[in-house]
Amino acid sequence: MTIKAIVCDMDGTLLTSENNISPKTFHKLIELQKKGVKLILASGRSYIRLLPDALKLGMDKYNGILIDVNGTSIFHVKTRKRTRISVLDTANIKEINDFFSLFNVELQYSQDDTIYTYLPESIYNIKRNIRAEMRLPEDYPWTGGMYSWLCDTRDGYPNQILIRDLKDSPDFCNKISIVQDPLYMGFVRQTLMNNPFYQKYEFVFQMNEKWKLPTREFQKEKH
């Protein structure tokens, strides 16, 4: 069988726990590209965040491809041509907002280089206390991540915008992320899957039991 292409996920697959490509893997991918095997990186990350690793791998020389933001667009590294496959428009965003406003969750609207983060009052207060405890600078992102209440994603989304009213949501985005601790997200998932709304959009669930609150003051709430 002739291998024509390699499609590879990034986080937890190609990248080590230190967010690096191991030397052995790196050299093997370069070798395979030189032999004519096309390398394709597929990730939930935006193409902006994927490009540094793509260029290290020489994908601009070997016509590599990026499938970014969970398959919503295709980016040709050599030509820098990007083709959008789908996008959430204003009507979609309003409908999703209306449904998830019933829950106590953080909403993140991802554009190419920007994240809008909506925080309801209770989550905003938790994060405000954490930020004070950790003495974080004012420009530190308010976004939650896979492991904690706060996550710095400025390497892929340099523009971070906090909103406190759903009326200030963007007019379009590539995807929307719903964030809370794993126990609460289990409840959200179960409720969603038993609702007709579940059939209207494509949902991807990422449940991480290592998710935790990063300060001693809030450790009692760890799940």
Short mmCIF file of all heavy atoms in Angstrom, two decimals, residues 33-67:
data_model
loop_
_atom_site.label_atom_id
_atom_site.label_comp_id
_atom_site.label_asym_id
_atom_site.label_seq_id
_atom_site.Cartn_x
_atom_site.Cartn_y
_atom_site.Cartn_z
N GLN A 33 7.72 13.77 3.76
CA GLN A 33 7.33 14.83 2.84
C GLN A 33 8.28 14.89 1.64
O GLN A 33 7.85 15.11 0.51
CB GLN A 33 7.28 16.18 3.56
CG GLN A 33 6.13 16.33 4.54
CD GLN A 33 6.10 17.71 5.18
OE1 GLN A 33 5.39 18.60 4.73
NE2 GLN A 33 6.90 17.88 6.23
N LYS A 34 9.56 14.69 1.89
CA LYS A 34 10.54 14.70 0.80
C LYS A 34 10.26 13.57 -0.19
O LYS A 34 10.60 13.68 -1.37
CB LYS A 34 11.95 14.57 1.37
CG LYS A 34 12.44 15.82 2.07
CD LYS A 34 13.86 15.62 2.59
CE LYS A 34 14.39 16.88 3.24
NZ LYS A 34 15.77 16.69 3.78
N LYS A 35 9.64 12.50 0.29
CA LYS A 35 9.31 11.37 -0.56
C LYS A 35 7.97 11.54 -1.27
O LYS A 35 7.52 10.65 -1.99
CB LYS A 35 9.29 10.09 0.27
CG LYS A 35 10.66 9.67 0.79
CD LYS A 35 10.57 8.39 1.59
CE LYS A 35 11.94 7.95 2.08
NZ LYS A 35 11.87 6.69 2.88
N GLY A 36 7.32 12.68 -1.02
CA GLY A 36 6.06 12.95 -1.71
C GLY A 36 4.80 12.71 -0.91
O GLY A 36 3.69 12.84 -1.44
N VAL A 37 4.94 12.37 0.35
CA VAL A 37 3.77 12.16 1.21
C VAL A 37 3.27 13.52 1.70
O VAL A 37 4.05 14.31 2.24
CB VAL A 37 4.11 11.26 2.41
CG1 VAL A 37 2.90 11.12 3.33
CG2 VAL A 37 4.59 9.90 1.93
N LYS A 38 2.00 13.80 1.47
CA LYS A 38 1.44 15.10 1.89
C LYS A 38 1.11 15.07 3.37
O LYS A 38 0.50 14.12 3.87
CB LYS A 38 0.17 15.42 1.09
CG LYS A 38 -0.40 16.82 1.40
CD LYS A 38 -1.60 17.12 0.53
CE LYS A 38 -1.21 17.32 -0.91
NZ LYS A 38 -0.39 18.54 -1.11
N LEU A 39 1.51 16.12 4.09
CA LEU A 39 1.23 16.24 5.51
C LEU A 39 0.04 17.17 5.72
O LEU A 39 0.01 18.28 5.19
CB LEU A 39 2.45 16.77 6.26
CG LEU A 39 2.30 16.95 7.78
CD1 LEU A 39 1.93 15.65 8.46
CD2 LEU A 39 3.59 17.52 8.38
N ILE A 40 -0.92 16.71 6.50
CA ILE A 40 -2.12 17.49 6.80
C ILE A 40 -2.27 17.55 8.31
O ILE A 40 -2.33 16.51 8.98
CB ILE A 40 -3.38 16.84 6.17
CG1 ILE A 40 -3.20 16.70 4.65
CG2 ILE A 40 -4.62 17.66 6.50
CD1 ILE A 40 -4.29 15.88 3.99
N LEU A 41 -2.32 18.75 8.86
CA LEU A 41 -2.56 18.94 10.29
C LEU A 41 -4.02 19.30 10.49
O LEU A 41 -4.52 20.26 9.90
CB LEU A 41 -1.66 20.04 10.85
CG LEU A 41 -0.15 19.85 10.68
CD1 LEU A 41 0.60 21.00 11.36
CD2 LEU A 41 0.29 18.51 11.25
N ALA A 42 -4.72 18.51 11.31
CA ALA A 42 -6.14 18.75 11.58
C ALA A 42 -6.32 19.02 13.06
O ALA A 42 -5.88 18.24 13.91
CB ALA A 42 -6.96 17.53 11.15
N SER A 43 -6.97 20.14 13.38
CA SER A 43 -7.02 20.55 14.78
C SER A 43 -8.20 21.46 15.06
O SER A 43 -8.80 22.04 14.15
CB SER A 43 -5.71 21.29 15.13
OG SER A 43 -5.74 21.81 16.44
N GLY A 44 -8.52 21.59 16.34
CA GLY A 44 -9.49 22.59 16.77
C GLY A 44 -8.87 23.97 16.83
O GLY A 44 -9.58 24.97 16.98
N ARG A 45 -7.55 24.04 16.72
CA ARG A 45 -6.86 25.34 16.74
C ARG A 45 -7.14 26.12 15.46
O ARG A 45 -7.47 25.55 14.43
CB ARG A 45 -5.35 25.12 16.85
CG ARG A 45 -4.88 24.43 18.11
CD ARG A 45 -3.38 24.33 18.12
NE ARG A 45 -2.86 23.76 19.36
CZ ARG A 45 -1.62 23.91 19.78
NH1 ARG A 45 -0.76 24.61 19.05
NH2 ARG A 45 -1.21 23.37 20.91
N SER A 46 -6.95 27.42 15.53
CA SER A 46 -7.05 28.25 14.34
C SER A 46 -5.78 28.09 13.51
O SER A 46 -4.73 27.66 14.01
CB SER A 46 -7.21 29.72 14.72
OG SER A 46 -6.01 30.23 15.28
N TYR A 47 -5.86 28.42 12.23
CA TYR A 47 -4.69 28.29 11.36
C TYR A 47 -3.53 29.18 11.85
O TYR A 47 -2.36 28.86 11.65
CB TYR A 47 -5.05 28.62 9.91
CG TYR A 47 -5.24 30.08 9.61
CD1 TYR A 47 -4.21 30.85 9.09
CD2 TYR A 47 -6.45 30.72 9.86
CE1 TYR A 47 -4.36 32.20 8.82
CE2 TYR A 47 -6.63 32.06 9.59
CZ TYR A 47 -5.59 32.80 9.07
OH TYR A 47 -5.76 34.14 8.81
N ILE A 48 -3.87 30.29 12.48
CA ILE A 48 -2.83 31.19 13.00
C ILE A 48 -1.98 30.47 14.04
O ILE A 48 -0.76 30.62 14.10
CB ILE A 48 -3.47 32.45 13.59
CG1 ILE A 48 -4.15 33.26 12.48
CG2 ILE A 48 -2.43 33.31 14.32
CD1 ILE A 48 -4.91 34.47 12.98
N ARG A 49 -2.64 29.67 14.86
CA ARG A 49 -1.92 28.94 15.91
C ARG A 49 -1.21 27.71 15.36
O ARG A 49 -0.26 27.22 15.96
CB ARG A 49 -2.91 28.54 17.01
CG ARG A 49 -2.24 28.19 18.33
CD ARG A 49 -3.25 27.91 19.39
NE ARG A 49 -2.61 27.53 20.64
CZ ARG A 49 -3.24 26.93 21.64
NH1 ARG A 49 -4.53 26.65 21.53
NH2 ARG A 49 -2.61 26.61 22.75
N LEU A 50 -1.67 27.21 14.22
CA LEU A 50 -1.05 26.03 13.61
C LEU A 50 0.17 26.38 12.77
O LEU A 50 1.08 25.56 12.60
CB LEU A 50 -2.07 25.30 12.73
CG LEU A 50 -3.22 24.59 13.44
CD1 LEU A 50 -4.23 24.10 12.42
CD2 LEU A 50 -2.69 23.43 14.27
N LEU A 51 0.19 27.59 12.23
CA LEU A 51 1.24 27.97 11.27
C LEU A 51 2.67 27.83 11.80
O LEU A 51 3.54 27.34 11.05
CB LEU A 51 1.00 29.39 10.77
CG LEU A 51 0.25 29.53 9.45
CD1 LEU A 51 0.04 30.99 9.10
CD2 LEU A 51 1.01 28.81 8.32
N PRO A 52 2.98 28.23 13.03
CA PRO A 52 4.37 28.10 13.48
C PRO A 52 4.91 26.67 13.36
O PRO A 52 6.02 26.46 12.87
CB PRO A 52 4.31 28.58 14.93
CG PRO A 52 3.18 29.55 14.95
CD PRO A 52 2.15 28.96 14.03
N ASP A 53 4.11 25.69 13.80
CA ASP A 53 4.56 24.30 13.70
C ASP A 53 4.58 23.83 12.25
O ASP A 53 5.46 23.05 11.85
CB ASP A 53 3.64 23.39 14.52
CG ASP A 53 3.87 23.54 16.02
OD1 ASP A 53 5.04 23.56 16.44
OD2 ASP A 53 2.90 23.66 16.77
N ALA A 54 3.61 24.31 11.45
CA ALA A 54 3.57 23.93 10.03
C ALA A 54 4.83 24.40 9.31
O ALA A 54 5.41 23.68 8.49
CB ALA A 54 2.32 24.51 9.38
N LEU A 55 5.26 25.61 9.60
CA LEU A 55 6.46 26.15 8.95
C LEU A 55 7.73 25.46 9.42
O LEU A 55 8.66 25.25 8.65
CB LEU A 55 6.54 27.66 9.21
CG LEU A 55 5.41 28.50 8.59
CD1 LEU A 55 5.55 29.96 8.97
CD2 LEU A 55 5.38 28.33 7.07
N LYS A 56 7.76 25.07 10.70
CA LYS A 56 8.90 24.31 11.21
C LYS A 56 9.04 22.99 10.45
O LYS A 56 10.14 22.51 10.20
CB LYS A 56 8.75 24.04 12.71
CG LYS A 56 8.92 25.25 13.60
CD LYS A 56 8.68 24.87 15.04
CE LYS A 56 8.73 26.09 15.95
NZ LYS A 56 8.42 25.72 17.37
N LEU A 57 7.89 22.41 10.11
CA LEU A 57 7.86 21.13 9.41
C LEU A 57 8.07 21.29 7.90
O LEU A 57 8.03 20.29 7.16
CB LEU A 57 6.54 20.42 9.67
CG LEU A 57 6.36 19.84 11.08
CD1 LEU A 57 4.90 19.51 11.34
CD2 LEU A 57 7.22 18.59 11.25
N GLY A 58 8.25 22.53 7.45
CA GLY A 58 8.49 22.75 6.03
C GLY A 58 7.28 22.53 5.16
O GLY A 58 7.40 22.27 3.96
N MET A 59 6.10 22.66 5.73
CA MET A 59 4.88 22.39 4.96
C MET A 59 4.64 23.41 3.86
O MET A 59 3.88 23.15 2.93
CB MET A 59 3.68 22.31 5.90
CG MET A 59 3.72 21.10 6.84
SD MET A 59 2.40 21.07 8.07
CE MET A 59 0.96 20.85 7.02
N ASP A 60 5.29 24.57 3.95
CA ASP A 60 5.19 25.55 2.87
C ASP A 60 5.98 25.09 1.64
O ASP A 60 5.64 25.44 0.50
CB ASP A 60 5.68 26.92 3.34
CG ASP A 60 7.08 26.87 3.94
OD1 ASP A 60 7.47 25.80 4.47
OD2 ASP A 60 7.78 27.89 3.90
N LYS A 61 7.02 24.29 1.84
CA LYS A 61 7.81 23.76 0.73
C LYS A 61 7.16 22.53 0.09
O LYS A 61 7.33 22.29 -1.10
CB LYS A 61 9.21 23.38 1.22
CG LYS A 61 10.00 24.52 1.84
CD LYS A 61 11.32 24.01 2.38
CE LYS A 61 12.10 25.11 3.08
NZ LYS A 61 13.37 24.59 3.66
N TYR A 62 6.43 21.77 0.92
CA TYR A 62 5.90 20.49 0.45
C TYR A 62 4.38 20.49 0.26
O TYR A 62 3.75 19.44 0.25
CB TYR A 62 6.30 19.38 1.42
CG TYR A 62 7.80 19.27 1.61
CD1 TYR A 62 8.39 19.65 2.81
CD2 TYR A 62 8.62 18.82 0.58
CE1 TYR A 62 9.77 19.56 2.99
CE2 TYR A 62 9.99 18.73 0.75
CZ TYR A 62 10.57 19.10 1.95
OH TYR A 62 11.93 19.02 2.12
N ASN A 63 3.81 21.69 0.11
CA ASN A 63 2.37 21.83 -0.17
C ASN A 63 1.49 21.19 0.90
O ASN A 63 0.50 20.51 0.59
CB ASN A 63 2.03 21.23 -1.54
CG ASN A 63 2.74 21.94 -2.67
OD1 ASN A 63 2.76 23.16 -2.73
ND2 ASN A 63 3.36 21.17 -3.56
N GLY A 64 1.84 21.41 2.14
CA GLY A 64 1.04 20.88 3.24
C GLY A 64 -0.28 21.61 3.39
O GLY A 64 -0.48 22.71 2.87
N ILE A 65 -1.18 20.99 4.13
CA ILE A 65 -2.54 21.53 4.31
C ILE A 65 -2.88 21.56 5.79
O ILE A 65 -2.52 20.65 6.55
CB ILE A 65 -3.57 20.68 3.55
CG1 ILE A 65 -3.35 20.79 2.04
CG2 ILE A 65 -5.00 21.08 3.90
CD1 ILE A 65 -4.25 19.87 1.24
N LEU A 66 -3.60 22.61 6.20
CA LEU A 66 -4.13 22.71 7.56
C LEU A 66 -5.65 22.62 7.51
O LEU A 66 -6.30 23.34 6.74
CB LEU A 66 -3.72 24.03 8.21
CG LEU A 66 -2.23 24.39 8.22
CD1 LEU A 66 -2.03 25.74 8.89
CD2 LEU A 66 -1.42 23.31 8.92
N ILE A 67 -6.21 21.74 8.30
CA ILE A 67 -7.66 21.71 8.50
C ILE A 67 -7.88 22.26 9.91
O ILE A 67 -7.58 21.59 10.90
CB ILE A 67 -8.22 20.28 8.38
CG1 ILE A 67 -7.90 19.71 6.99
CG2 ILE A 67 -9.73 20.27 8.62
CD1 ILE A 67 -8.32 18.26 6.81
#
